[in-house]
Amino acid sequence: MDIAVQAGLILLVGIVFLLIIGVPIAISVGVSSVLAMFTILEFDNGLLTSAQRMFTGINSFTLLAIPFFVLAGVIMNNGGIASKLINCAKILSGKMPGSLAHTNILANMLFGSISGSAVAAAAAVGSTMGEQQEKEGYKREFSAAVNIGSAPTGMLIPPSNIMIVFSLVSGGTSIAALFLAGYVPGLLWGLACILVALIIAKKRGYKSQIEISWKQKLLVILDAIPSLLLIVIVIGGIVGGVFTATEGSAIAVVYSLLLSFVYRSIKIRDLPSILLEATRTTSIVVFLIGVSTIMSWVMSFTNIPGLIADLLLSISDNMIIILLIMNIVLLIIGTFMDPTPAVLIFTPIFLPIALDLGMDPIHFGIMMVLNLSIGTITPPVGPVLFVGARVAKLPIENVIKPLAPFFLVTIVLLLLVTFVPAISLFIPKLFGVME
């Protein structure tokens, strides 16, 4: 058997087998990639090359943005910022029927974009809003579906760690352009969820919030402005060329920490546990990136991306059909795999095909992130679905039916983003960060 075929089989079969028996994705990818490497090179050279590949993969200044953004998110989770954003979202939701549901959606958009984590948004916002909605007579299943369906918006609205990962693995796609390209799809996702919640709220007779005075509204908004300024400072600085994404992530840490000290929600003695939590999350991501570079080397040697491209093109040479197949594959992968490893594994496979079809890498990146974000809320094992159901104290099967309308509108949004490039590319072109 040809060496390349042997290596490819060991890589693919090894990853699938290890995942099936419950081995973590990072270990599965790493072990399978190193074993495949040993079929290509002698043991000593294979071990040395694997180590060199890992070091090269994580030896990146841009990659420093991920641990800093993760740390900023952890600080904000512990710093009482979520409650201030929820109060601001209540003001923005106004007098619409089912206003608490709309508050949940808006709070997920705000908090998710600042923390960069859909799971963190579902947990932090859902735990607060779920109780309030239940007191107002909202069905718990509906509240859980609203929270789950809107939580991933923060993966698209910058700053987004998954976009930084895509930038690295795609060969240096502009992070500023990716960040700006995520705004419209992220906002459309949130608006689609609001539309679904509004229709259901009218049908069930859910009322709006109690009217409060303009003075109280102003005080709530003023209280939230320091938290919201974080987005303006970080994204504005990156897009304006004042600092890089990595420098912006460090600024986000300093700003969120100072803000938490001002709010007196974090004390010095809390810092070790915060740093430990951020380190745990970061170590998983960085290790994944490291082992994925070994996998990418093996995939290049075995020509797996080329074989998959030939397979897709043998099915059809129609761009619409190929993009639909890509989306279906990514939707399925996203149900059981975290977005980060999915981006690391499938970008080297699908991006060359997309480029051959004439697709802009920014457009492809947003399509991929949106697709994998939908996967986080898709049964049977979407991570946001699990967290949202647990926060609502409901079994997953009770949430799936009320979640269906939210899932449907996100699929429609995915098709629009896939086949209407302007949705993603309009703002980056407007700000001149891409041609």
Side-chain angles (χ1 to χ4, degrees):
M1 187 184 292
D2 184 75
I3 292 177
V5 175
Q6 278 185 313
L9 285 173
I10 290 173
L11 178 66
L12 297 176
V13 174
I15 291 174
V16 172
F17 174 74
L18 291 173
L19 286 175
I20 289 173
I21 64 174
V23 177
I25 180 68
I27 304 297
S28 301
V29 171
V31 169
S32 302
S33 300
V34 172
L35 289 176
M37 181 76 80
F38 291 156
T39 65
I40 301 169
L41 302 172
E42 294 179 359
F43 180 81
D44 290 347
N45 288 334
L47 205 60
L48 179 62
T49 302
S50 296
Q52 288 174 336
R53 291 282 94 194
M54 282 192 69
F55 177 77
T56 302
I58 61 177
N59 184 28
S60 168
F61 178 73
T62 303
L63 187 59
L64 283 173
I66 293 178
F68 280 127
F69 276 131
V70 168
L71 178 56
V74 174
I75 292 170
M76 286 182 279
N77 283 348
N78 292 273
I81 291 175
S83 60
K84 297 183 184 300
L85 294 177
I86 288 172
N87 290 335
C88 180
K90 284 182 180 179
I91 301 299
L92 296 175
S93 63
K95 298 181 180 180
M96 291 189 293
S99 55
L100 285 178
H102 308 312
T103 298
N104 193 328
I105 296 167
L106 291 170
N108 272 337
M109 293 171 70
L110 293 171
F111 186 75
S113 65
I114 292 176
S115 67
S117 170
V119 172
V125 178
S127 59
T128 302
M129 292 306 304
E131 294 178 1
Q132 294 184 27
Q133 290 178 69
E134 191 172 4
K135 289 178 182 178
E136 293 294 325
Y138 291 56
K139 286 188 177 181
R140 193 187 297 179
E141 291 81 3
F142 169 71
S143 301
V146 168
N147 184 46
I148 294 166
S150 59
T153 52
M155 296 173 67
L156 287 161
I157 303 173
S160 170
N161 289 334
I162 195 67
M163 290 182 187
I164 296 172
V165 173
F166 176 81
S167 171
L168 289 169
V169 76
S170 64
T173 306
S174 168
I175 294 177
L178 284 167
F179 278 3
L180 287 176
Y183 270 114
V184 173
L187 293 173
L188 287 176
W189 184 328
L191 290 173
C193 289
I194 289 174
L195 178 62
V196 172
L198 181 61
I199 293 170
I200 296 174
K202 280 187 174 181
K203 185 177 179 181
R204 296 182 180 177
Y206 294 147
K207 299 178 181 179
S208 61
Q209 298 171 30
I210 299 172
E211 180 63 26
I212 62 174
S213 67
W214 280 103
K215 182 179 178 181
Q216 289 174 307
K217 289 180 180 179
L218 183 61
L219 289 174
V220 169
I221 292 173
L222 288 174
D223 194 36
I225 282 177
S227 302
L228 296 173
L229 275 177
L230 176 62
I231 303 175
V232 177
I233 293 170
V234 173
I235 303 303
I238 293 171
V239 173
V242 179
F243 42 73
T244 65
T246 305
E247 292 162 346
S249 65
I251 290 170
V253 170
V254 174
Y255 185 90
S256 57
L257 189 60
L258 290 175
L259 197 59
S260 297
F261 282 145
V262 170
Y263 289 152
R264 297 183 180 179
S265 51
I266 287 180
K267 297 179 175 60
I268 297 294
R269 65 172 178 267
D270 299 325
L271 293 181
S273 61
I274 289 172
L275 291 170
L276 181 60
E277 184 180 347
T279 302
R280 284 172 177 161
T281 303
T282 301
S283 61
I284 295 170
V285 176
V286 173
F287 183 64
L288 265 170
I289 293 171
V291 296
S292 73
T293 57
I294 308 174
M295 182 190 66
S296 297
W297 191 92
V298 174
M299 286 172 63
S300 296
F301 181 87
T302 57
N303 195 33
I304 289 175
L307 293 173
I308 293 176
D310 291 341
L311 176 62
L312 282 177
L313 292 173
S314 69
I315 297 172
S316 173
D317 59 358
N318 187 307
M319 181 178 181
I320 294 175
I321 300 299
I322 293 174
L323 289 178
L324 284 174
I325 293 172
M326 284 185 188
N327 277 320
I328 291 169
V329 171
L330 289 172
L331 279 173
I332 294 170
I333 293 298
T335 63
F336 64 86
M337 187 180 289
D338 190 77
T340 299
V343 166
L344 291 169
I345 293 171
F346 287 94
T347 298
I349 295 174
F350 286 155
L351 180 58
I353 303 172
L355 295 178
D356 287 342
L357 294 172
M359 198 174 188
D360 189 280
I362 303 292
H363 179 202
F364 175 80
I366 297 302
M367 182 195 82
M368 191 175 204
V369 172
L370 172 57
N371 198 310
L372 295 171
S373 298
I374 294 172
T376 65
I377 66 171
T378 306
V381 289
V384 176
L385 175 63
F386 262 90
V387 170
R390 188 168 68 243
V391 166
K393 300 176 182 177
L394 289 169
I396 287 179
E397 54 268 24
N398 288 22
V399 180
I400 292 174
K401 184 177 179 181
L403 185 62
F406 296 93
F407 181 74
L408 180 62
V409 295
T410 55
I411 293 296
V412 172
L413 175 61
L414 174 61
L415 292 174
L416 287 172
V417 168
T418 299
F419 298 112
V420 184
I423 293 175
S424 304
L425 304 182
F426 171 72
I427 293 184
K429 289 181 178 178
L430 183 66
F431 279 83
V433 294
M434 64 175 292
E435 295 180 0

